[in-house]
Amino acid sequence: GAVVSQHPSWVICKSGTSVKIECRSLDFQATTMFWYRQFPKQSLMLMATSNEGSKATYEQGVEKDKFLINHASLTLSTLTVTSAHPEDSSFYICSASRQGSSYNEQFFGPGTRLTVL
Amino acid sequence: QKEVEQNSGPLSVPEGAIASLNCTYSDRGSQSFFWYRQYSGKSPELIMFIYSNGDKEDGRFTAQLNKASQYVSLLIRDSQPSDSATYLCAPAPGGYNKLIFGAGTRLAVHP
């Protein structure tokens, strides 16, 4: 159990376009989902925390108007990179905390590799 | 001050040896810890959780927690080349709060 999926696994887009990434908890309900970004050879960087039915909480330095997060249900959160530019090229990873979990461990999706041309 | 400190490595060990990965933390209130493993180009996967002082063993992995000295470690016995990855530690958050990862230690197991 505790499987998290992401779609797409990779995407290539032109500069100026918007890209939507989906994160789904397949076999559990996720009260909270998290979005991370990771550049090559660097650490995971938390972008935002998303709770079902409420606005996401963004980390300092992350533009909320550029990275739109929607958490419409207990199994789905989406991240939209608006007006993407080459510097947004990165590995985007979501994770989810299982509702009712004793230890609040996070389960990670496989990630989405975004390349902006 | 960072909440979690890890030596970035790389830690290089020969195949079959014991790899010892360490993590120190600053918040005395931290009660339990996760260890995640991240292969290059992949997302992290949870490998161990420890919530009490002492050792917890799971196969070739042993997590050790010392709350008095504020460190947590991960021992990998009989290291294999497939163990080569970055290992991340993080204190378990209260509620559904965010994880604060250390920078991770890169482990390289050579044949």
Short mmCIF file of all heavy atoms in Angstrom, two decimals, chain A residues 22-77:
data_model
loop_
_atom_site.label_atom_id
_atom_site.label_comp_id
_atom_site.label_asym_id
_atom_site.label_seq_id
_atom_site.Cartn_x
_atom_site.Cartn_y
_atom_site.Cartn_z
N GLU A 22 0.15 16.15 -12.36
CA GLU A 22 -0.80 15.55 -11.43
C GLU A 22 -0.10 14.62 -10.44
O GLU A 22 0.82 13.90 -10.80
CB GLU A 22 -1.85 14.75 -12.18
CG GLU A 22 -2.82 15.57 -12.98
CD GLU A 22 -3.93 14.70 -13.57
OE1 GLU A 22 -3.83 13.45 -13.49
OE2 GLU A 22 -4.88 15.28 -14.11
N CYS A 23 -0.58 14.65 -9.22
CA CYS A 23 -0.07 13.76 -8.18
C CYS A 23 -1.27 13.06 -7.55
O CYS A 23 -2.20 13.72 -7.09
CB CYS A 23 0.68 14.57 -7.13
SG CYS A 23 1.25 13.63 -5.71
N ARG A 24 -1.26 11.74 -7.57
CA ARG A 24 -2.38 10.97 -7.04
C ARG A 24 -1.92 9.95 -6.01
O ARG A 24 -0.91 9.27 -6.21
CB ARG A 24 -3.10 10.21 -8.15
CG ARG A 24 -3.81 11.07 -9.16
CD ARG A 24 -4.54 10.24 -10.21
NE ARG A 24 -5.14 11.08 -11.23
CZ ARG A 24 -6.37 11.57 -11.14
NH1 ARG A 24 -7.11 11.30 -10.08
NH2 ARG A 24 -6.85 12.33 -12.11
N SER A 25 -2.67 9.87 -4.91
CA SER A 25 -2.46 8.77 -3.98
C SER A 25 -3.42 7.67 -4.42
O SER A 25 -4.62 7.87 -4.47
CB SER A 25 -2.75 9.21 -2.54
OG SER A 25 -4.04 9.76 -2.43
N LEU A 26 -2.87 6.51 -4.76
CA LEU A 26 -3.67 5.48 -5.42
C LEU A 26 -4.45 4.60 -4.46
O LEU A 26 -5.53 4.10 -4.80
CB LEU A 26 -2.77 4.61 -6.29
CG LEU A 26 -2.06 5.33 -7.44
CD1 LEU A 26 -1.29 4.33 -8.30
CD2 LEU A 26 -3.05 6.12 -8.29
N ASP A 27 -3.91 4.35 -3.29
CA ASP A 27 -4.57 3.39 -2.40
C ASP A 27 -4.74 3.94 -0.99
O ASP A 27 -4.95 3.17 -0.05
CB ASP A 27 -3.78 2.08 -2.37
CG ASP A 27 -2.30 2.29 -2.04
OD1 ASP A 27 -1.90 3.44 -1.83
OD2 ASP A 27 -1.57 1.29 -2.02
N PHE A 28 -4.71 5.24 -0.84
CA PHE A 28 -4.97 5.84 0.47
C PHE A 28 -5.42 7.27 0.27
O PHE A 28 -5.26 7.86 -0.80
CB PHE A 28 -3.71 5.79 1.35
CG PHE A 28 -2.56 6.63 0.88
CD1 PHE A 28 -2.32 7.89 1.43
CD2 PHE A 28 -1.69 6.15 -0.09
CE1 PHE A 28 -1.25 8.66 0.99
CE2 PHE A 28 -0.61 6.92 -0.53
CZ PHE A 28 -0.39 8.18 0.02
N GLN A 29 -6.00 7.80 1.30
CA GLN A 29 -6.43 9.19 1.28
C GLN A 29 -5.33 10.06 1.89
O GLN A 29 -4.81 9.75 2.97
CB GLN A 29 -7.75 9.36 2.04
CG GLN A 29 -8.91 8.69 1.34
CD GLN A 29 -10.24 9.01 2.00
OE1 GLN A 29 -10.32 9.13 3.22
NE2 GLN A 29 -11.29 9.15 1.20
N ALA A 30 -5.01 11.11 1.18
CA ALA A 30 -3.90 11.97 1.58
C ALA A 30 -4.43 13.31 2.05
O ALA A 30 -4.92 14.10 1.25
CB ALA A 30 -2.94 12.16 0.41
N THR A 31 -4.35 13.53 3.34
CA THR A 31 -4.79 14.81 3.86
C THR A 31 -3.90 15.93 3.37
O THR A 31 -4.35 17.03 3.07
CB THR A 31 -4.77 14.78 5.40
OG1 THR A 31 -5.56 13.68 5.84
CG2 THR A 31 -5.30 16.07 5.98
N THR A 32 -2.62 15.64 3.31
CA THR A 32 -1.65 16.65 2.94
C THR A 32 -0.74 16.12 1.84
O THR A 32 -0.30 14.96 1.90
CB THR A 32 -0.79 17.06 4.16
OG1 THR A 32 -1.65 17.46 5.22
CG2 THR A 32 0.15 18.20 3.80
N MET A 33 -0.49 16.96 0.87
CA MET A 33 0.48 16.62 -0.19
C MET A 33 1.53 17.72 -0.25
O MET A 33 1.26 18.87 0.11
CB MET A 33 -0.21 16.46 -1.54
CG MET A 33 -1.07 15.19 -1.63
SD MET A 33 -1.76 14.99 -3.28
CE MET A 33 -2.42 13.32 -3.15
N PHE A 34 2.70 17.34 -0.67
CA PHE A 34 3.83 18.26 -0.71
C PHE A 34 4.43 18.25 -2.12
O PHE A 34 4.47 17.20 -2.77
CB PHE A 34 4.90 17.83 0.30
CG PHE A 34 4.40 17.69 1.72
CD1 PHE A 34 3.80 16.52 2.14
CD2 PHE A 34 4.52 18.73 2.62
CE1 PHE A 34 3.33 16.38 3.44
CE2 PHE A 34 4.05 18.61 3.93
CZ PHE A 34 3.45 17.43 4.33
N TRP A 35 4.91 19.40 -2.53
CA TRP A 35 5.58 19.51 -3.83
C TRP A 35 7.02 19.94 -3.61
O TRP A 35 7.31 20.90 -2.90
CB TRP A 35 4.85 20.51 -4.73
CG TRP A 35 3.55 19.97 -5.24
CD1 TRP A 35 2.30 20.17 -4.72
CD2 TRP A 35 3.37 19.12 -6.37
NE1 TRP A 35 1.36 19.49 -5.46
CE2 TRP A 35 1.99 18.84 -6.49
CE3 TRP A 35 4.24 18.57 -7.32
CZ2 TRP A 35 1.46 18.04 -7.50
CZ3 TRP A 35 3.73 17.78 -8.32
CH2 TRP A 35 2.35 17.52 -8.40
N TYR A 36 7.92 19.21 -4.27
CA TYR A 36 9.34 19.47 -4.19
C TYR A 36 9.90 19.71 -5.59
O TYR A 36 9.34 19.27 -6.59
CB TYR A 36 10.10 18.27 -3.59
CG TYR A 36 9.77 17.92 -2.16
CD1 TYR A 36 8.65 17.15 -1.86
CD2 TYR A 36 10.59 18.34 -1.11
CE1 TYR A 36 8.35 16.81 -0.54
CE2 TYR A 36 10.31 17.99 0.20
CZ TYR A 36 9.18 17.24 0.48
OH TYR A 36 8.90 16.90 1.78
N ARG A 37 11.04 20.36 -5.60
CA ARG A 37 11.78 20.54 -6.85
C ARG A 37 13.22 20.14 -6.56
O ARG A 37 13.75 20.41 -5.47
CB ARG A 37 11.69 22.00 -7.31
CG ARG A 37 12.42 22.29 -8.59
CD ARG A 37 12.05 23.66 -9.12
NE ARG A 37 12.28 24.73 -8.17
CZ ARG A 37 12.02 26.01 -8.41
NH1 ARG A 37 11.54 26.37 -9.59
NH2 ARG A 37 12.26 26.92 -7.50
N GLN A 38 13.86 19.54 -7.55
CA GLN A 38 15.24 19.13 -7.36
C GLN A 38 16.01 19.38 -8.64
O GLN A 38 15.69 18.80 -9.69
CB GLN A 38 15.34 17.66 -6.95
CG GLN A 38 16.75 17.23 -6.56
CD GLN A 38 16.78 15.83 -5.98
OE1 GLN A 38 16.06 14.94 -6.42
NE2 GLN A 38 17.63 15.61 -4.98
N PHE A 39 17.04 20.21 -8.53
CA PHE A 39 17.94 20.44 -9.66
C PHE A 39 19.05 19.41 -9.60
O PHE A 39 19.34 18.84 -8.53
CB PHE A 39 18.49 21.87 -9.60
CG PHE A 39 17.44 22.91 -9.83
CD1 PHE A 39 16.97 23.69 -8.76
CD2 PHE A 39 16.91 23.13 -11.09
CE1 PHE A 39 15.99 24.64 -8.96
CE2 PHE A 39 15.93 24.09 -11.29
CZ PHE A 39 15.46 24.85 -10.22
N PRO A 40 19.71 19.16 -10.73
CA PRO A 40 20.75 18.13 -10.78
C PRO A 40 21.80 18.32 -9.69
O PRO A 40 22.28 19.43 -9.46
CB PRO A 40 21.34 18.29 -12.17
CG PRO A 40 20.23 18.86 -12.99
CD PRO A 40 19.49 19.77 -12.06
N LYS A 41 22.10 17.23 -9.02
CA LYS A 41 23.14 17.17 -7.99
C LYS A 41 22.86 18.09 -6.80
O LYS A 41 23.77 18.44 -6.04
CB LYS A 41 24.52 17.48 -8.57
CG LYS A 41 24.94 16.50 -9.65
CD LYS A 41 26.38 16.66 -10.01
CE LYS A 41 26.79 15.77 -11.18
NZ LYS A 41 26.58 14.35 -10.89
N GLN A 42 21.60 18.49 -6.64
CA GLN A 42 21.24 19.33 -5.49
C GLN A 42 20.21 18.62 -4.63
O GLN A 42 19.66 17.58 -5.00
CB GLN A 42 20.70 20.68 -5.96
CG GLN A 42 21.74 21.54 -6.66
CD GLN A 42 21.24 22.95 -6.93
OE1 GLN A 42 20.31 23.43 -6.29
NE2 GLN A 42 21.88 23.63 -7.86
N SER A 43 19.97 19.19 -3.45
CA SER A 43 19.04 18.59 -2.52
C SER A 43 17.59 18.85 -2.94
O SER A 43 17.31 19.74 -3.73
CB SER A 43 19.24 19.18 -1.12
OG SER A 43 20.57 19.01 -0.69
N LEU A 44 16.71 18.07 -2.38
CA LEU A 44 15.29 18.33 -2.53
C LEU A 44 14.96 19.69 -1.95
O LEU A 44 15.41 20.03 -0.86
CB LEU A 44 14.48 17.30 -1.76
CG LEU A 44 14.32 15.91 -2.34
CD1 LEU A 44 13.75 14.98 -1.30
CD2 LEU A 44 13.41 15.95 -3.55
N MET A 45 14.15 20.45 -2.64
CA MET A 45 13.70 21.72 -2.12
C MET A 45 12.18 21.72 -2.04
O MET A 45 11.51 21.57 -3.06
CB MET A 45 14.17 22.86 -3.01
CG MET A 45 13.89 24.24 -2.40
SD MET A 45 14.06 25.59 -3.58
CE MET A 45 12.46 25.53 -4.39
N LEU A 46 11.66 21.88 -0.84
CA LEU A 46 10.21 21.93 -0.68
C LEU A 46 9.68 23.22 -1.28
O LEU A 46 10.19 24.31 -0.98
CB LEU A 46 9.83 21.83 0.80
CG LEU A 46 8.35 21.91 1.12
CD1 LEU A 46 7.62 20.67 0.59
CD2 LEU A 46 8.13 22.04 2.62
N MET A 47 8.66 23.10 -2.12
CA MET A 47 8.06 24.27 -2.73
C MET A 47 6.81 24.70 -1.96
O MET A 47 6.61 25.89 -1.71
CB MET A 47 7.67 23.98 -4.18
CG MET A 47 8.83 23.59 -5.07
SD MET A 47 8.26 23.13 -6.71
CE MET A 47 7.69 24.71 -7.33
N ALA A 48 5.96 23.73 -1.64
CA ALA A 48 4.69 24.09 -1.02
C ALA A 48 4.07 22.88 -0.36
O ALA A 48 4.36 21.73 -0.70
CB ALA A 48 3.75 24.66 -2.07
N THR A 49 3.20 23.19 0.59
CA THR A 49 2.40 22.18 1.29
C THR A 49 0.94 22.41 0.91
O THR A 49 0.45 23.55 0.96
CB THR A 49 2.57 22.32 2.80
OG1 THR A 49 3.95 22.17 3.13
CG2 THR A 49 1.75 21.28 3.54
N SER A 50 0.29 21.33 0.54
CA SER A 50 -1.07 21.44 0.02
C SER A 50 -2.04 20.61 0.86
O SER A 50 -1.82 19.41 1.04
CB SER A 50 -1.05 20.93 -1.43
OG SER A 50 -2.35 20.74 -1.92
N ASN A 51 -3.06 21.24 1.36
CA ASN A 51 -4.10 20.54 2.12
C ASN A 51 -5.40 20.53 1.33
O ASN A 51 -5.76 21.53 0.72
CB ASN A 51 -4.32 21.21 3.47
CG ASN A 51 -3.15 21.00 4.40
OD1 ASN A 51 -2.88 19.89 4.83
ND2 ASN A 51 -2.44 22.07 4.70
N GLU A 52 -6.08 19.42 1.35
CA GLU A 52 -7.31 19.25 0.59
C GLU A 52 -8.32 20.33 0.95
O GLU A 52 -8.60 20.55 2.13
CB GLU A 52 -7.88 17.86 0.83
CG GLU A 52 -9.14 17.55 0.04
CD GLU A 52 -10.40 17.77 0.83
OE1 GLU A 52 -10.35 17.79 2.08
OE2 GLU A 52 -11.46 17.92 0.20
N GLY A 53 -8.79 21.01 -0.07
CA GLY A 53 -9.84 21.99 0.11
C GLY A 53 -9.39 23.35 0.60
O GLY A 53 -10.22 24.23 0.83
N SER A 54 -8.09 23.55 0.75
CA SER A 54 -7.63 24.87 1.19
C SER A 54 -6.44 25.32 0.35
O SER A 54 -5.89 24.55 -0.43
CB SER A 54 -7.26 24.84 2.67
OG SER A 54 -6.21 23.94 2.90
N LYS A 55 -6.08 26.57 0.52
CA LYS A 55 -4.97 27.12 -0.27
C LYS A 55 -3.65 26.51 0.17
O LYS A 55 -3.44 26.23 1.35
CB LYS A 55 -4.91 28.64 -0.10
CG LYS A 55 -6.06 29.38 -0.77
CD LYS A 55 -5.88 30.88 -0.60
CE LYS A 55 -7.01 31.63 -1.30
NZ LYS A 55 -6.85 33.11 -1.16
N ALA A 56 -2.76 26.39 -0.78
CA ALA A 56 -1.45 25.84 -0.48
C ALA A 56 -0.61 26.85 0.30
O ALA A 56 -0.80 28.06 0.18
CB ALA A 56 -0.73 25.45 -1.78
N THR A 57 0.30 26.31 1.08
CA THR A 57 1.26 27.15 1.80
C THR A 57 2.60 27.04 1.09
O THR A 57 3.17 25.95 0.99
CB THR A 57 1.41 26.67 3.25
OG1 THR A 57 0.14 26.73 3.90
CG2 THR A 57 2.41 27.55 4.00
N TYR A 58 3.09 28.16 0.59
CA TYR A 58 4.31 28.17 -0.19
C TYR A 58 5.52 28.49 0.69
O TYR A 58 5.44 29.29 1.62
CB TYR A 58 4.21 29.21 -1.31
CG TYR A 58 3.21 28.82 -2.39
CD1 TYR A 58 1.85 29.06 -2.23
CD2 TYR A 58 3.65 28.21 -3.56
CE1 TYR A 58 0.94 28.68 -3.20
CE2 TYR A 58 2.75 27.84 -4.55
CZ TYR A 58 1.40 28.08 -4.36
OH TYR A 58 0.50 27.71 -5.34
N GLU A 59 6.64 27.89 0.34
CA GLU A 59 7.89 28.19 1.04
C GLU A 59 8.41 29.55 0.56
O GLU A 59 8.07 30.04 -0.53
CB GLU A 59 8.92 27.10 0.77
CG GLU A 59 8.54 25.75 1.34
CD GLU A 59 8.40 25.77 2.85
OE1 GLU A 59 9.40 26.07 3.54
OE2 GLU A 59 7.28 25.48 3.34
N GLN A 60 9.23 30.12 1.40
CA GLN A 60 9.79 31.43 1.08
C GLN A 60 10.56 31.36 -0.24
O GLN A 60 11.36 30.44 -0.47
CB GLN A 60 10.73 31.86 2.21
CG GLN A 60 11.17 33.29 2.13
CD GLN A 60 11.93 33.72 3.37
OE1 GLN A 60 12.31 32.90 4.21
NE2 GLN A 60 12.17 35.01 3.51
N GLY A 61 10.31 32.33 -1.09
CA GLY A 61 11.01 32.41 -2.36
C GLY A 61 10.33 31.70 -3.50
O GLY A 61 10.78 31.80 -4.65
N VAL A 62 9.25 30.98 -3.22
CA VAL A 62 8.52 30.28 -4.27
C VAL A 62 7.33 31.14 -4.68
O VAL A 62 6.51 31.53 -3.85
CB VAL A 62 8.02 28.90 -3.79
CG1 VAL A 62 7.21 28.21 -4.88
CG2 VAL A 62 9.20 28.04 -3.36
N GLU A 63 7.25 31.45 -5.97
CA GLU A 63 6.20 32.34 -6.47
C GLU A 63 4.88 31.60 -6.59
O GLU A 63 4.73 30.71 -7.44
CB GLU A 63 6.59 32.90 -7.83
CG GLU A 63 7.89 33.70 -7.85
CD GLU A 63 8.26 34.08 -9.26
OE1 GLU A 63 7.45 34.75 -9.92
OE2 GLU A 63 9.35 33.69 -9.73
N LYS A 64 3.91 31.98 -5.80
CA LYS A 64 2.63 31.27 -5.83
C LYS A 64 1.86 31.51 -7.10
O LYS A 64 1.03 30.67 -7.50
CB LYS A 64 1.79 31.65 -4.61
CG LYS A 64 1.41 33.12 -4.54
CD LYS A 64 0.57 33.38 -3.30
CE LYS A 64 0.15 34.84 -3.21
NZ LYS A 64 -0.65 35.11 -1.99
N ASP A 65 2.09 32.63 -7.78
CA ASP A 65 1.38 32.89 -9.03
C ASP A 65 2.00 32.15 -10.20
O ASP A 65 1.38 32.01 -11.25
CB ASP A 65 1.37 34.39 -9.32
CG ASP A 65 0.57 35.16 -8.29
OD1 ASP A 65 -0.40 34.60 -7.75
OD2 ASP A 65 0.92 36.32 -8.01
N LYS A 66 3.22 31.71 -10.01
CA LYS A 66 3.87 30.96 -11.08
C LYS A 66 3.64 29.46 -10.91
O LYS A 66 3.49 28.74 -11.89
CB LYS A 66 5.37 31.24 -11.07
CG LYS A 66 6.12 30.48 -12.16
CD LYS A 66 7.53 30.98 -12.32
CE LYS A 66 8.19 30.24 -13.47
NZ LYS A 66 7.51 30.50 -14.77
N PHE A 67 3.62 29.02 -9.69
CA PHE A 67 3.42 27.60 -9.39
C PHE A 67 2.06 27.45 -8.70
O PHE A 67 1.93 27.57 -7.49
CB PHE A 67 4.54 27.07 -8.52
CG PHE A 67 5.90 27.18 -9.15
CD1 PHE A 67 6.77 28.22 -8.82
CD2 PHE A 67 6.32 26.25 -10.09
CE1 PHE A 67 8.02 28.32 -9.41
CE2 PHE A 67 7.57 26.34 -10.69
CZ PHE A 67 8.43 27.38 -10.35
N LEU A 68 1.06 27.17 -9.51
CA LEU A 68 -0.31 27.07 -9.00
C LEU A 68 -0.57 25.66 -8.51
O LEU A 68 -0.36 24.69 -9.24
CB LEU A 68 -1.30 27.43 -10.10
CG LEU A 68 -1.17 28.84 -10.70
CD1 LEU A 68 -2.20 29.04 -11.80
CD2 LEU A 68 -1.30 29.90 -9.62
N ILE A 69 -1.05 25.56 -7.29
CA ILE A 69 -1.32 24.25 -6.71
C ILE A 69 -2.79 24.15 -6.36
O ILE A 69 -3.36 25.04 -5.74
CB ILE A 69 -0.44 24.02 -5.46
CG1 ILE A 69 1.02 23.90 -5.87
CG2 ILE A 69 -0.90 22.77 -4.71
CD1 ILE A 69 1.99 23.88 -4.71
N ASN A 70 -3.38 23.04 -6.77
CA ASN A 70 -4.77 22.75 -6.47
C ASN A 70 -4.87 21.37 -5.84
O ASN A 70 -4.31 20.41 -6.35
CB ASN A 70 -5.61 22.81 -7.75
CG ASN A 70 -7.07 22.61 -7.47
OD1 ASN A 70 -7.55 21.49 -7.31
ND2 ASN A 70 -7.80 23.71 -7.37
N HIS A 71 -5.57 21.29 -4.72
CA HIS A 71 -5.72 20.01 -4.03
C HIS A 71 -7.22 19.78 -3.86
O HIS A 71 -7.79 20.03 -2.80
CB HIS A 71 -5.01 20.09 -2.68
CG HIS A 71 -4.83 18.77 -2.00
ND1 HIS A 71 -3.87 18.56 -1.04
CD2 HIS A 71 -5.47 17.60 -2.12
CE1 HIS A 71 -3.93 17.32 -0.60
NE2 HIS A 71 -4.89 16.72 -1.24
N ALA A 72 -7.85 19.32 -4.93
CA ALA A 72 -9.30 19.28 -5.01
C ALA A 72 -9.93 18.11 -4.28
O ALA A 72 -11.10 18.15 -3.91
CB ALA A 72 -9.72 19.25 -6.47
N SER A 73 -9.16 17.05 -4.08
CA SER A 73 -9.72 15.89 -3.40
C SER A 73 -8.64 15.26 -2.53
O SER A 73 -7.49 15.68 -2.56
CB SER A 73 -10.23 14.87 -4.42
OG SER A 73 -9.14 14.16 -5.00
N LEU A 74 -9.03 14.26 -1.77
CA LEU A 74 -8.09 13.60 -0.87
C LEU A 74 -7.11 12.68 -1.59
O LEU A 74 -6.25 12.08 -0.97
CB LEU A 74 -8.84 12.80 0.20
CG LEU A 74 -9.49 13.64 1.30
CD1 LEU A 74 -10.35 12.76 2.20
CD2 LEU A 74 -8.43 14.35 2.14
N THR A 75 -7.25 12.58 -2.90
CA THR A 75 -6.35 11.71 -3.66
C THR A 75 -5.66 12.42 -4.82
O THR A 75 -4.90 11.80 -5.55
CB THR A 75 -7.10 10.48 -4.22
OG1 THR A 75 -8.15 10.94 -5.07
CG2 THR A 75 -7.68 9.63 -3.09
N LEU A 76 -5.92 13.69 -5.00
CA LEU A 76 -5.36 14.38 -6.17
C LEU A 76 -4.91 15.79 -5.83
O LEU A 76 -5.66 16.58 -5.27
CB LEU A 76 -6.40 14.43 -7.29
CG LEU A 76 -6.03 15.26 -8.53
CD1 LEU A 76 -4.83 14.65 -9.24
CD2 LEU A 76 -7.22 15.37 -9.47
N SER A 77 -3.68 16.08 -6.20
CA SER A 77 -3.17 17.45 -6.16
C SER A 77 -2.49 17.73 -7.50
O SER A 77 -1.91 16.83 -8.11
CB SER A 77 -2.16 17.62 -5.02
OG SER A 77 -1.60 18.93 -5.02
#
